[in-house]
Amino acid sequence: MNTKMIAAFIVTLMALSVFGFVYSAWRDNVYINGTVHMGELIVGILSDPNDPLKNITVIETTNGVPEEEFCPPKPWVANTTVTLGDFETSVHHEPQQTVAHTMNITVDNAYPQYDAHIKGFLKNAGTIPAKLSGCDFEGYDVKDNEELRYTGEWTWNGTAWVFEGEIKDNGPDDVWGTGDDVVIINLYVVVFAPEDMQLEPCNEYPFVITFDFKQEAEECHTYTFSASFEFIQWNKWGIPE
Protein backbone atom coordinates (compact mmCIF):
# COMPACT_ATOMS: atom_id res chain seq x y z
CA MET A 1 0.00 0.00 0.00
CA ASN A 2 1.55 3.26 -1.07
CA THR A 3 1.93 6.33 1.06
CA LYS A 4 -0.95 8.26 -0.62
CA MET A 5 -3.42 5.46 0.00
CA ILE A 6 -2.36 5.20 3.65
CA ALA A 7 -2.78 8.96 4.08
CA ALA A 8 -6.25 8.90 2.46
CA PHE A 9 -7.30 6.04 4.75
CA ILE A 10 -6.17 7.90 7.88
CA VAL A 11 -8.01 11.06 6.80
CA THR A 12 -11.15 9.02 6.24
CA LEU A 13 -10.91 7.44 9.72
CA MET A 14 -10.42 10.86 11.29
CA ALA A 15 -13.47 12.24 9.49
CA LEU A 16 -15.62 9.31 10.59
CA SER A 17 -14.31 9.74 14.13
CA VAL A 18 -15.40 13.39 14.17
CA PHE A 19 -18.86 12.66 12.76
CA GLY A 20 -19.28 9.77 15.16
CA PHE A 21 -18.51 12.04 18.11
CA VAL A 22 -21.10 14.60 16.98
CA TYR A 23 -23.76 11.98 16.48
CA SER A 24 -23.21 10.34 19.86
CA ALA A 25 -23.15 13.57 21.91
CA TRP A 26 -24.66 13.43 25.42
CA ARG A 27 -28.38 14.20 25.65
CA ASP A 28 -30.70 14.89 28.61
CA ASN A 29 -34.31 15.90 29.17
CA VAL A 30 -36.37 17.83 31.73
CA TYR A 31 -40.01 16.80 32.12
CA ILE A 32 -42.57 19.16 33.70
CA ASN A 33 -45.77 17.59 35.03
CA GLY A 34 -48.65 19.83 36.13
CA THR A 35 -51.77 19.00 38.16
CA VAL A 36 -54.82 21.30 38.35
CA HIS A 37 -57.23 20.92 41.26
CA MET A 38 -60.58 22.46 40.32
CA GLY A 39 -62.43 24.68 42.77
CA GLU A 40 -65.74 23.63 44.27
CA LEU A 41 -68.94 25.70 44.51
CA ILE A 42 -71.10 24.23 47.28
CA VAL A 43 -73.37 26.62 49.15
CA GLY A 44 -76.54 25.74 51.03
CA ILE A 45 -78.26 25.44 54.38
CA LEU A 46 -75.87 24.15 57.02
CA SER A 47 -76.81 20.63 58.02
CA ASP A 48 -75.41 17.50 59.66
CA PRO A 49 -75.48 13.98 58.17
CA ASN A 50 -76.40 12.51 61.57
CA ASP A 51 -78.88 15.22 62.58
CA PRO A 52 -80.14 17.20 59.57
CA LEU A 53 -82.04 19.76 61.69
CA LYS A 54 -79.26 20.28 64.22
CA ASN A 55 -78.75 23.89 63.11
CA ILE A 56 -82.42 24.74 62.45
CA THR A 57 -84.61 26.47 65.04
CA VAL A 58 -88.39 26.96 64.71
CA ILE A 59 -90.03 29.62 66.90
CA GLU A 60 -93.83 29.96 66.91
CA THR A 61 -95.46 33.15 68.15
CA THR A 62 -98.75 35.05 68.14
CA ASN A 63 -98.27 38.72 67.32
CA GLY A 64 -94.60 38.12 68.02
CA VAL A 65 -95.18 36.73 71.53
CA PRO A 66 -94.21 33.10 72.26
CA GLU A 67 -97.16 30.96 73.34
CA GLU A 68 -95.68 30.13 76.76
CA GLU A 69 -95.38 33.83 77.62
CA PHE A 70 -99.14 34.36 77.58
CA CYS A 71 -100.80 34.38 81.00
CA PRO A 72 -102.41 31.98 81.27
CA PRO A 73 -100.38 30.14 78.58
CA LYS A 74 -102.21 29.56 75.32
CA PRO A 75 -102.59 25.98 74.07
CA TRP A 76 -100.37 24.94 71.21
CA VAL A 77 -102.78 24.75 68.29
CA ALA A 78 -100.76 25.51 65.18
CA ASN A 79 -97.64 23.57 64.29
CA THR A 80 -94.78 24.26 61.89
CA THR A 81 -92.43 21.48 60.84
CA VAL A 82 -89.28 21.72 58.74
CA THR A 83 -87.38 19.14 56.72
CA LEU A 84 -84.24 19.56 54.64
CA GLY A 85 -83.41 17.84 51.36
CA ASP A 86 -81.05 17.66 48.39
CA PHE A 87 -77.92 17.22 50.51
CA GLU A 88 -74.35 17.71 49.30
CA THR A 89 -71.10 17.16 51.18
CA SER A 90 -67.88 19.03 50.46
CA VAL A 91 -64.73 16.94 50.10
CA HIS A 92 -62.31 19.87 50.44
CA HIS A 93 -62.90 20.65 54.10
CA GLU A 94 -61.72 18.91 57.23
CA PRO A 95 -64.00 18.03 58.84
CA GLN A 96 -66.29 17.61 55.85
CA GLN A 97 -69.25 19.97 55.60
CA THR A 98 -72.77 19.00 54.53
CA VAL A 99 -75.36 21.45 53.25
CA ALA A 100 -78.96 21.13 52.06
CA HIS A 101 -80.21 22.90 48.97
CA THR A 102 -83.92 22.72 49.76
CA MET A 103 -86.02 23.41 52.84
CA ASN A 104 -89.60 22.07 53.06
CA ILE A 105 -91.99 23.77 55.48
CA THR A 106 -95.44 22.54 56.56
CA VAL A 107 -97.84 24.63 58.65
CA ASP A 108 -100.87 22.94 60.23
CA ASN A 109 -103.82 24.72 61.90
CA ALA A 110 -102.49 28.22 61.34
CA TYR A 111 -104.68 31.08 62.55
CA PRO A 112 -104.64 34.87 62.02
CA GLN A 113 -101.66 36.57 63.73
CA TYR A 114 -99.81 33.23 64.02
CA ASP A 115 -96.15 33.61 63.11
CA ALA A 116 -93.57 30.95 62.29
CA HIS A 117 -89.90 31.94 62.45
CA ILE A 118 -87.36 29.51 60.97
CA LYS A 119 -83.72 30.20 61.80
CA GLY A 120 -80.65 28.59 60.28
CA PHE A 121 -77.31 29.25 58.61
CA LEU A 122 -76.19 29.54 55.02
CA LYS A 123 -72.82 27.83 54.63
CA ASN A 124 -70.22 28.22 51.90
CA ALA A 125 -68.82 24.69 52.13
CA GLY A 126 -66.84 24.96 48.91
CA THR A 127 -63.61 26.69 47.94
CA ILE A 128 -65.01 29.45 45.70
CA PRO A 129 -66.64 32.68 46.93
CA ALA A 130 -70.33 32.81 46.01
CA LYS A 131 -72.88 35.56 45.54
CA LEU A 132 -76.40 35.27 46.93
CA SER A 133 -78.60 35.95 43.92
CA GLY A 134 -82.07 35.30 45.34
CA CYS A 135 -84.47 33.11 47.26
CA ASP A 136 -87.33 31.21 45.65
CA PHE A 137 -90.56 29.99 47.28
CA GLU A 138 -93.17 27.56 46.08
CA GLY A 139 -96.36 27.58 48.12
CA TYR A 140 -99.23 25.10 48.08
CA ASP A 141 -102.67 24.90 49.72
CA VAL A 142 -103.13 21.18 50.39
CA LYS A 143 -106.87 21.32 51.07
CA ASP A 144 -107.74 23.27 47.91
CA ASN A 145 -105.08 21.47 45.85
CA GLU A 146 -103.79 24.74 44.43
CA GLU A 147 -100.61 26.76 44.25
CA LEU A 148 -99.86 29.96 46.10
CA ARG A 149 -97.81 32.78 44.63
CA TYR A 150 -95.48 35.33 46.17
CA THR A 151 -94.14 38.78 45.33
CA GLY A 152 -91.63 41.03 47.04
CA GLU A 153 -88.20 42.60 46.80
CA TRP A 154 -84.79 42.63 48.49
CA THR A 155 -83.40 45.66 50.33
CA TRP A 156 -80.21 46.30 52.34
CA ASN A 157 -80.87 47.69 55.83
CA GLY A 158 -77.27 48.37 56.79
CA THR A 159 -76.85 45.07 58.62
CA ALA A 160 -78.56 42.40 56.53
CA TRP A 161 -80.42 41.75 53.32
CA VAL A 162 -84.18 41.72 53.85
CA PHE A 163 -86.84 40.30 51.56
CA GLU A 164 -90.33 41.67 52.26
CA GLY A 165 -93.04 39.90 50.35
CA GLU A 166 -96.57 38.61 50.25
CA ILE A 167 -98.00 35.18 49.58
CA LYS A 168 -101.30 35.22 47.73
CA ASP A 169 -104.27 32.92 47.14
CA ASN A 170 -106.16 33.25 43.87
CA GLY A 171 -109.52 33.59 45.61
CA PRO A 172 -112.88 31.86 45.14
CA ASP A 173 -112.80 32.02 41.33
CA ASP A 174 -109.56 29.99 41.30
CA VAL A 175 -108.14 32.29 38.60
CA TRP A 176 -105.01 34.40 38.98
CA GLY A 177 -105.02 38.07 38.07
CA THR A 178 -108.62 38.80 39.02
CA GLY A 179 -109.97 41.08 41.71
CA ASP A 180 -110.44 38.39 44.33
CA ASP A 181 -106.73 37.49 44.59
CA VAL A 182 -105.94 37.95 48.27
CA VAL A 183 -102.81 38.18 50.43
CA ILE A 184 -102.97 35.50 53.12
CA ILE A 185 -99.38 35.55 54.46
CA ASN A 186 -96.74 38.22 54.92
CA LEU A 187 -93.32 36.78 54.09
CA TYR A 188 -90.01 38.05 55.47
CA VAL A 189 -86.53 36.68 54.80
CA VAL A 190 -83.47 38.15 56.53
CA VAL A 191 -79.96 37.06 55.52
CA PHE A 192 -77.06 38.43 57.55
CA ALA A 193 -74.67 38.58 54.60
CA PRO A 194 -72.38 41.45 53.51
CA GLU A 195 -73.75 44.28 51.42
CA ASP A 196 -72.04 42.88 48.32
CA MET A 197 -73.87 39.57 48.96
CA GLN A 198 -70.60 37.62 48.77
CA LEU A 199 -70.36 34.48 50.90
CA GLU A 200 -66.77 33.46 51.56
CA PRO A 201 -65.57 29.83 51.81
CA CYS A 202 -65.66 28.28 55.29
CA ASN A 203 -68.02 30.99 56.57
CA GLU A 204 -71.58 30.76 57.92
CA TYR A 205 -74.29 33.40 57.56
CA PRO A 206 -77.44 33.39 59.74
CA PHE A 207 -80.86 33.67 58.13
CA VAL A 208 -84.46 33.93 59.36
CA ILE A 209 -87.61 33.09 57.39
CA THR A 210 -90.88 34.40 58.86
CA PHE A 211 -94.45 33.59 57.86
CA ASP A 212 -97.05 35.98 59.29
CA PHE A 213 -100.57 34.67 58.75
CA LYS A 214 -103.26 37.27 58.04
CA GLN A 215 -106.98 37.30 58.76
CA GLU A 216 -107.65 36.32 55.15
CA ALA A 217 -105.95 32.93 55.55
CA GLU A 218 -108.61 30.22 55.46
CA GLU A 219 -109.42 28.05 58.46
CA CYS A 220 -108.62 24.33 58.57
CA HIS A 221 -106.14 24.57 55.72
CA THR A 222 -102.65 23.10 55.55
CA TYR A 223 -100.01 25.10 53.73
CA THR A 224 -96.70 23.74 52.50
CA PHE A 225 -93.74 25.68 51.21
CA SER A 226 -90.51 24.83 49.45
CA ALA A 227 -87.75 27.40 49.88
CA SER A 228 -84.44 27.45 48.04
CA PHE A 229 -81.61 29.98 48.07
CA GLU A 230 -79.83 30.73 44.81
CA PHE A 231 -76.09 31.40 44.41
CA ILE A 232 -73.60 32.05 41.63
CA GLN A 233 -69.80 32.05 41.70
CA TRP A 234 -68.42 35.50 42.54
CA ASN A 235 -66.85 36.34 39.14
CA LYS A 236 -70.06 35.55 37.22
CA TRP A 237 -72.11 38.06 39.19
CA GLY A 238 -73.95 40.43 36.85
CA ILE A 239 -72.86 38.64 33.68
CA PRO A 240 -75.82 37.61 31.45
CA GLU A 241 -75.93 33.91 30.68
Side-chain angles (χ1 to χ4, degrees):
M1 183 179 294
N2 59 36
T3 303
K4 289 184 178 181
M5 291 182 63
I6 294 174
F9 180 72
I10 292 174
V11 170
T12 301
L13 288 178
M14 290 177 65
L16 290 175
S17 175
V18 170
F19 285 120
F21 173 78
V22 172
Y23 179 77
S24 62
W26 293 106
R27 296 178 181 273
D28 202 353
N29 296 283
V30 175
Y31 296 98
I32 300 176
N33 296 313
T35 300
V36 177
H37 294 280
M38 300 300 292
E40 184 180 51
L41 183 66
I42 297 181
V43 189
I45 301 168
L46 181 62
S47 186
D48 187 308
N50 301 315
D51 184 5
L53 298 179
K54 176 181 179 180
N55 301 290
I56 299 295
T57 302
V58 178
I59 300 174
E60 299 169 282
T61 63
T62 298
N63 279 337
V65 180
E67 301 292 279
E68 63 271 15
E69 292 186 14
F70 283 87
C71 187
K74 295 180 64 177
W76 287 100
V77 177
N79 185 47
T80 296
T81 57
V82 175
T83 60
L84 299 178
D86 192 12
F87 296 98
E88 187 174 10
T89 299
S90 169
V91 298
H92 288 111
H93 288 264
E94 183 60 42
Q96 293 184 349
Q97 296 288 306
T98 297
V99 298
H101 295 291
T102 303
M103 171 184 287
N104 298 305
I105 305 164
T106 301
V107 182
D108 287 308
N109 293 322
Y111 51 83
Q113 301 176 343
Y114 170 77
D115 310 309
H117 313 268
I118 298 110
K119 298 183 178 182
F121 298 88
L122 296 179
K123 173 76 175 186
N124 187 341
T127 60
I128 300 173
K131 293 276 192 177
L132 173 64
S133 59
C135 183
D136 186 57
F137 282 86
E138 294 182 5
Y140 196 73
D141 183 332
V142 176
K143 182 175 181 179
D144 287 347
N145 190 30
E146 63 183 16
E147 69 170 332
L148 306 173
R149 294 184 179 179
Y150 78 96
T151 57
E153 62 179 7
W154 288 92
T155 57
W156 170 253
N157 68 2
T159 304
W161 281 97
V162 179
F163 179 87
E164 294 189 49
E166 300 174 329
I167 297 178
K168 296 182 178 180
D169 184 280
N170 58 17
D173 66 3
D174 201 24
V175 177
W176 288 105
T178 57
D180 67 346
D181 293 355
V182 59
V183 178
I184 61 172
I185 303 170
N186 292 322
L187 171 65
Y188 304 95
V189 182
V190 181
V191 180
F192 293 90
E195 186 175 4
D196 64 0
M197 288 190 170
Q198 183 159 307
L199 279 60
E200 301 294 342
C202 302
N203 283 267
E204 300 168 7
Y205 302 85
F207 71 84
V208 182
I209 300 173
T210 296
F211 296 95
D212 172 22
F213 286 81
K214 297 171 62 67
Q215 188 70 43
E216 291 75 12
E218 297 180 272
E219 296 182 19
C220 302
H221 283 230
T222 296
Y223 299 101
T224 63
F225 305 94
S226 176
S228 60
F229 290 94
E230 300 167 358
F231 305 91
I232 189 170
Q233 68 185 56
W234 65 276
N235 60 325
K236 293 295 185 180
W237 176 260
I239 299 177
E241 296 185 358

